[in-house]
Amino acid sequence: MAKRGGWRRVVILLLLSLPLLLLLLLSAERRVLIASDSRLLRLVKARATGHDRLLGGLLADGVDERSCQSRYQSAMYRRKAGRKPSPYLVSKLRRHEALQQRCGPGSAAYSEAAEQLRSGKTAGVIGSPDCKYLVSISYRGLGNRMLAAASAFLYAVLTDRVLLVDPSNEMGELFCEPFPGTTWLLPPDFPLTSYTNFSADTAESYGNMLKKKVIGAASTTAPKQLPPFAYIHLDHDYTDEDKLFFCDEDQRVLRDIRWLVMRTDNYIVPGLFLATSFQEELDMLFPEPDTVFHHLGRYLFHPNNHVWGLVTRYHDAYLAAAHQRVGIQVRVFGNVPESTQVLEQITTCTQKEGLLPEVLAVGTAVPPTPAGKSIAVLVTSLKTWYYDKIKSLYWEHATATGEAVGVHQPSHEEHQQFGAKSHDAKAWAEIYLLSLTDVLVTTGWSTFGYVAQGLGGLTPLIMYKPDENGSVVPDPPCSRDLSMEPCFHAPPYYDCRVKKGADTGKMVPHVQNCKDMSWGLKLAPRSA
């Protein structure tokens, strides 16, 4: 009997210890045991539901998590998994990572290519060099810089070039390295010391070299005549000759130039879809063309540990417990930063579209609150005025549904500060927080909103830009966008095949004009 009683106590002890044993098994690291409750629960839930830390194969495994916590943790903070990348895109990214390692900074190939550029000589080979390079110049606001880098990366992938990003304007301070085992940052001893000053007037720009017949059509240009580098000017002020970059004949010339330096403040990806020489490859990479930035953005842009701390602390404190998370991105263009018309546009849009409940008159009987139903509103704006007004609205008035609405704004910098480290860190954290919301309202024309919607896989309600006087609320105040893709604000209007002007929004079915900017181009679903 004593032996049987002993076995019974052992069985009871084992049953009581099962939850702790299960927790230890679910945890890959013992530190999870001393994590905060919210993060512990999130980790257990993520493991139990098949948390995809590699985003469907988009990310390569094996990067030290301590150096970049966001890389493998980010999926735990999203309530919905993102869209799946194609197997072809996954394999192409692995091949491109190998190219970046083989030819990137620190390699013998890079040293040889840099020395060739410094000497001013061509590569000295017939055809395309094994290691070719694309330098992306970083400038303007953070949203513009990220869209430009993503555009440059896609072009680098399509043309088998190593991408090197200009580290100025905080591009070397805000993000983790995206490529395992190497850097994407341009080394400080890059031979073209004045590259950040390149402009439409630079003699080595592709457009200017065409004008001066330094370089010609693919059928008449021999490799020995090619320059050691070409500057690709795709800024808002680019010329008709610069725009020939999007033509097949010109791509055949550029293919054999070892070094390209690109400046753009645009998301040029829709323009790449116009080039017939890229279309087959793009179709294989992106069977869903409205997911290009969604995939490339999640691949490239991982907040560094400082910014990730800003994101996770704010999320856990103000957003995690809410039943519904609503993001409202406010950008006011012009000289009236505090506009009652824009405020009315925000409230009308969110209430008519069912994102936020309507409010009752003061003194009206309050309906019972649905059990556990709460809404967290994340407002991002340079000013606090819109946040204060929306917060007061839902504090001073009960909602018609009885739902509790909390309104939050992480920062208010008052003015955009280009290249300021603290400002850009907060801006990057707010972009990421917006991408974690369940539904999103953005301001038309804003690259800040474009990045957030793409990272989050969210097709936003987009608020139309008011008239020049700002005195009339647009009707309707907002509408669902075509897709989550950013808008190319300054596309070419030229049909390369017939060599004359054309409406490029009608040339490829899934390249259409933007809703927020009628002359812009954006990628839409194939069925749109």
Side-chain angles (χ1 to χ4, degrees), residues 57-60 89-99 299:
L58 198 64
L59 304 180
L89 174 60
V90 170
S91 65
K92 187 78 171 182
L93 290 173
R94 299 296 86 82
R95 292 198 299 273
H96 192 83
E97 289 164 359
L99 174 68
Y299 176 81

Side-chain angles (χ1 to χ4, degrees), residues 199-268:
S199 69
D201 298 326
T202 297
E204 293 86 357
S205 80
Y206 183 67
N208 286 332
M209 288 194 289
L210 284 177
K211 283 184 194 176
K212 297 175 182 178
K213 302 188 185 305
V214 174
I215 200 168
S219 58
T220 61
T221 302
K224 65 180 181 180
Q225 296 174 301
L226 294 176
F229 80 95
Y231 166 56
I232 310 299
H233 185 76
L234 301 178
D235 209 353
H236 62 281
D237 62 346
Y238 64 155
T239 65
D240 289 341
E241 289 80 10
D242 292 321
K243 294 174 184 177
L244 295 176
F245 169 83
F246 296 103
C247 294
D248 292 323
E249 283 188 8
D250 299 85
Q251 281 301 319
R252 283 192 286 272
V253 177
L254 294 169
R255 177 183 60 198
D256 295 333
I257 299 177
R258 191 171 205 175
W259 287 91
L260 299 181
V261 180
M262 178 184 290
R263 177 190 292 275
T264 184
D265 58 354
N266 270 281
Y267 181 68
I268 67 166

Side-chain angles (χ1 to χ4, degrees), residues 13-27 33:
L13 182 61
L14 285 172
L15 290 172
L16 289 173
S17 63
L18 274 176
L20 181 58
L21 290 172
L22 179 62
L23 183 59
L24 287 168
L25 289 171
L26 289 172
S27 170
L33 295 174

Side-chain angles (χ1 to χ4, degrees), residues 280-326:
E280 182 179 356
E281 181 78 356
L282 287 168
D283 287 345
M284 292 191 294
L285 289 169
F286 305 103
E288 299 175 299
D290 58 321
T291 63
V292 175
F293 185 77
H294 179 57
H295 293 318
L296 298 187
R298 292 183 303 153
Y299 176 81
L300 287 175
F301 304 120
H302 306 286
N304 67 12
N305 287 349
H306 168 63
V307 175
W308 188 237
L310 298 178
V311 171
T312 56
R313 288 189 294 272
Y314 200 91
H315 174 274
D316 292 348
Y318 300 106
L319 305 178
H323 180 267
Q324 175 88 330
R325 302 177 294 193
V326 178

Side-chain angles (χ1 to χ4, degrees), residues 116 121-126:
Q116 172 256 314
K121 299 177 182 178
T122 58
V125 297
I126 301 300

Side-chain angles (χ1 to χ4, degrees), residues 345-462:
Q345 185 179 10
I346 295 169
T347 55
T348 304
C349 170
T350 53
Q351 291 177 2
K352 279 191 173 181
E353 295 291 336
L355 274 61
L356 294 179
E358 296 184 358
V359 296
L360 303 174
V362 175
T364 305
V366 180
T369 303
K373 190 69 182 288
S374 64
I375 299 174
V377 181
L378 177 70
V379 177
T380 64
S381 175
L382 291 171
K383 305 288 184 180
T384 62
W385 190 79
Y386 296 96
Y387 156 75
D388 289 334
K389 293 296 182 182
I390 299 170
K391 182 178 181 180
S392 295
L393 176 69
Y394 285 101
W395 181 36
E396 296 170 4
H397 299 265
T399 62
T401 60
E403 294 168 295
V405 177
V407 184
H408 314 283
Q409 180 174 351
S411 72
H412 48 92
E413 297 290 283
E414 299 301 321
H415 303 285
Q416 189 166 7
Q417 303 166 40
F418 295 112
K421 185 172 182 179
S422 174
H423 175 85
D424 281 346
K426 292 176 183 176
W428 180 207
E430 291 189 3
I431 288 174
Y432 211 94
L433 285 165
L434 282 174
S435 80
L436 297 178
T437 58
D438 303 308
V439 288
L440 183 61
V441 179
T442 62
T443 300
W445 296 28
S446 174
T447 57
F448 194 101
Y450 292 163
V451 175
Q453 69 197 43
L455 292 176
L458 303 167
T459 300
L461 286 165
I462 193 162

